[in-house]
Amino acid sequence: MSDSLNAPDAPPSAPHDPGESVRHTRTRGEPRFPDGPRADPAGSHFERRIRSFQPRRSRVTAGQADALQRLWPTWGLDIDGQRVIDLGELFGNDRPVVLEIGFGMGEATARMAAADPGTNILAVDVHTPGQGNLLNLAERDGLSNVRVGNGDAIILLREMLGPDALDGLRVYFPDPWPKKRHHKRRLIQPEFLTLAAARLKPCAIVHCATDWEPYAEQMLEVLGAHPDFENTRAEGGFAPRPGFRPLTRFEGQGLDKGHVVNDLLFRRVPHRER
C-alpha cells in the first residue's frame, strides 16, 4: 500500500521549490511522515483478499510533503478499521457527506468542493502525492468541506461507517483492469454494491464514470441488476456528464484521443422490509 520505495518521507530541512521532488534518508524504522498518513493503516488486522487498487510509486514534492505533515492531523483520516467514525465530528458539522473513492491528484475533487460548500466530501485514495496535492488545494482554496482518507475504501465502508451514513458515492475513472483474468479486481461488483447500499441513505446517488467502454458496460449491467439501485434515467442506459462533475485534464486527454467517457447515475432505492 505504500509507495515509499521511490518517494521522500518528510519535508526536508533545506528550502525547496514546492513543485520539486525531494528525497529524505530515513533511519531504519523511522516513519515516512511522522505526523502524516501511515504507510499501511489497517496493517494485518483484516483478511488478505484481492484488491481493486494497486499503489502507484511516484515521488512526493516538497509542497506535498509539507501539506501532509502540517494538515494531516486536522484534515486526514487513516483507514485502520478499528473504530466507527462519526462523520459529523470528522467534518465539524452535520452537512451531507459524499464518499469519493479514488481521486487521483484531487483537482476535480477540489473543484466540486468549491462549487458545493454545503456538501462534505470524504475523498479516499492510496496515492501519497495525490493526498498531499489535495490537501494543498483544500488549504489554498479554503475548502473546509474536504477530508482525505488514506487506505482501503472497502475497510472504511465495512468497518468504519454506520448504516445510512452517506448521502452519495462517487467512483470516477477507477482502474479498469482490462485483462480478462484481472476483471475480478474491478471495484464495481455485486458484493461491493451490497456493502455500499448498507451505508447509503435512501435515494442517495451512486455516480460512476469511466473511459473504458467494456468496463462501462459491466458497470451498467451490474448496477442495473442490483436490487438496491435503480437507474436515474427512466429509459435506462448511460447518463450525460452532469455539470457538477468537472472535465479533468486526464479526461480531456482521453477525449482528444477518441476515448468515449460514460457516466452512470443510479439511485439507492428505499429500504425494503426484511
Side-chain angles (χ1 to χ4, degrees), residues 80-99:
D80 58 12
Q82 298 302 298
R83 68 201 189 283
V84 175
I85 60 175
D86 183 328
L87 293 175
E89 181 179 323
L90 180 68
F91 285 93
N93 58 62
D94 60 357
R95 295 169 187 157
V97 178
V98 171
L99 173 64

Side-chain angles (χ1 to χ4, degrees), residues 205-207 230-233 239-240 242 244 263-267:
I205 296 297
V206 172
H207 182 194
E230 62 183 6
N231 201 328
T232 61
R233 291 176 61 80
F244 65 80
D263 284 75
L264 301 94
L265 289 163
F266 276 72
R267 181 182 296 108

Side-chain angles (χ1 to χ4, degrees), residues 1 5 21-22 25 39 44 57 71 169 183 192 212 263 268:
M1 185 172 289
L5 293 177
S21 294
V22 295
T25 302
S44 60
R57 291 172 167 81
L71 303 175
L169 173 64
H183 285 184
F192 170 77
W212 191 260
D263 284 75
R268 170 68 165 100

Side-chain angles (χ1 to χ4, degrees), residues 3 6-8 21-23 32 57-61 64 127 129:
D3 56 359
N6 295 292
S21 294
V22 295
R23 282 185 178 271
R32 185 165 175 238
R57 291 172 167 81
S58 54
R59 296 185 178 184
V60 178
T61 68
Q64 292 162 359
H127 187 223

Side-chain angles (χ1 to χ4, degrees), residues 171-183:
V171 183
Y172 299 154
F173 304 98
D175 193 325
W177 296 102
K179 295 180 180 179
K180 187 174 182 179
R181 68 177 183 272
H182 291 156
H183 285 184

